[in-house]
Amino acid sequence: MTSGDSRESALRPAPSDNRRAGRTVLFAARSATALHRLLDTLPVFAGDDRIARRFTLVPGSDFDAEALAAVERAGARTLPWERARAGSFDLIVAASPKGELRALRGALALLPHGAGFGKSLPGEGTPGAPSGLDPAFLLTGGTTLATRHALAHPDQLTRLAGTSPRAAAHAVVVGDPTLERLLAAVGHRDRYRAALGTGARRLVVLTSTWGPESLLRQRPDLVTELLALLGYDGYQLALVTHPNERSRRGSYDLEQGLGPALDAGLVLPGPHAEWATLLVAADAVVTDHGSTALYAAALGRRVVTAYDGGDELLADSPTGQLLAASPRLTAADALPGVLDRVLAAPRAPAALAAADAAFAHRGRALELLRDELYGLLGLAPTGPAPSPEPLPVPARPPRQPAAFLVEAELAGDRVTVARFPPWRTRPARFLAAEQGVAGERHAQSAGLLYRRRSDHQGGAHRVAWTATGWIDAALRDHPGCATAGVLLSQTRALLRRRGGPPLVLELAPRPCAGRLIHTDPAAALCAAHVWLAATPGAPATFTADIGGHTFPVTLRPATPAEAEQLL
């Protein structure tokens, strides 16, 4: 076999894989962003063994690091660029007109890189032209790049026709396959929030695009500012970064740079589809001028803008319209008030209109796209109408903080507790730490130490603390600690104030609209620590106000059996 024969056999599926007029489709991506868009279209070919799917990385992007990681993890076939440009394909699918796509041979279907075409990148292509609709990239020598240009909304076709009638002649409106995945997942919202440990908290998702006007560049301290201001029991914070930013920094450096925030409970989704899961799970989104905000608006999520302006945003685009209709976050400490207002009010008609101006054919995008792609392949589609691939349930829950600075106030029979990261600079009432998980510096400084009961593993000689044995040792070894406790379950804990008797804390859930809200018993232990400092002894009943929800708490003397139970 010659080298040419070997190359062609690598590009073309084996006869056994193509019993009925087989076709080879090449997915050509310049970056992780483009690849992820392409992956959302794969259901159009699901169940068709006539299609061989190949992936290649188009050179020329500054953001190609880790670009093919998602398909490599899945075991998909990838082709080096030189082999891809030497071959011939029945169909090429790309999500960016930039790079050396003309070097590939085959009909080209071009998909949007994002939603809404809301940016114009200074110094690139035609000044003021929307990135993705710029004739400088869609035409070469008067000829069109794409055999078919798939758009998400008729307004996009109108805009393209205004700048390049020749390119518009090859365009068709099919809708947005990525939005289809989000819309298909809205019924899984509770499942996603459970996997994230959100509970009854408000999940606020910060979204940052890439470049000098992105949220992370314009407001690099906003994440830590919000974590220091928003109580852990009332809010959960997530950060969705553009794949280009992850490529620029590298996943490791990105996570290391966010280390203190991640330790404080920040959710950082994976680089592929988990960002969409976060939008489905969110209560509100704080955004710059990236197109992710349009997906949030299409889902009905309240949008708050933190974009500080610049030269990239096209004011007349759907993204520009959405930001103009959204409240602006001028300072981190204003966010709770802004959220109270927007979550209590109906959705703004202008925000609805902005999302409607970006996405057409909702619920039909994959079906319409399939018709177009199979038409280019010269095949009739097979099987049922395509369904969006389910969004992933977050596989890695956020870190559970091991230490908190606690603000607390006792008024009558109510103790209000708010917990914050231990690195916050504002003064607090005391430090609470989970012994054996928090660092020793925090453990030695804690006014309240606690531990969680864990499942035991078998062994030759099992050693287990009794509840009071551990509490006595914790108070002995940490002279600055005033209260130590063991969390026995979601509703019970055993604790002792220094110099006092062992007590049982019983924590009732709060009924709310047909559900029961449980709080973290460690937060209730913080309330008991404050109560016992002011009102020694038991029995006692008081109310703990935690994260905006109230919970009845009872303290009573522990029985000998309760005090000696094993941990």
Side-chain angles (χ1 to χ4, degrees), residues 534-548:
T535 312
T541 299
F542 63 91
T543 298
D545 189 333
I546 301 168

Side-chain angles (χ1 to χ4, degrees), residues 202-208 215 219 222 226 235 237 279 282-290 292-294 296-297 300-308 319 322-344 348 351:
R202 287 177 172 175
L203 173 54
V204 180
V205 177
L206 275 63
T207 70
S208 177
L215 182 69
R219 299 194 185 186
L222 183 61
L226 289 175
Y235 297 87
L237 200 67
L279 292 192
D283 293 291
V285 171
V286 178
T287 184
D288 52 21
H289 61 311
T292 304
L294 285 171
R301 304 296 173 258
R302 301 305 195 267
V303 173
V304 177
T305 174
Y307 179 53
D308 288 336
T319 303
L322 175 62
L323 298 190
S326 302
R328 186 168 184 275
L329 183 66
T330 55
D333 59 4
L335 184 60
V338 171
L339 291 180
D340 286 342
R341 290 192 297 274
V342 299
L343 291 174

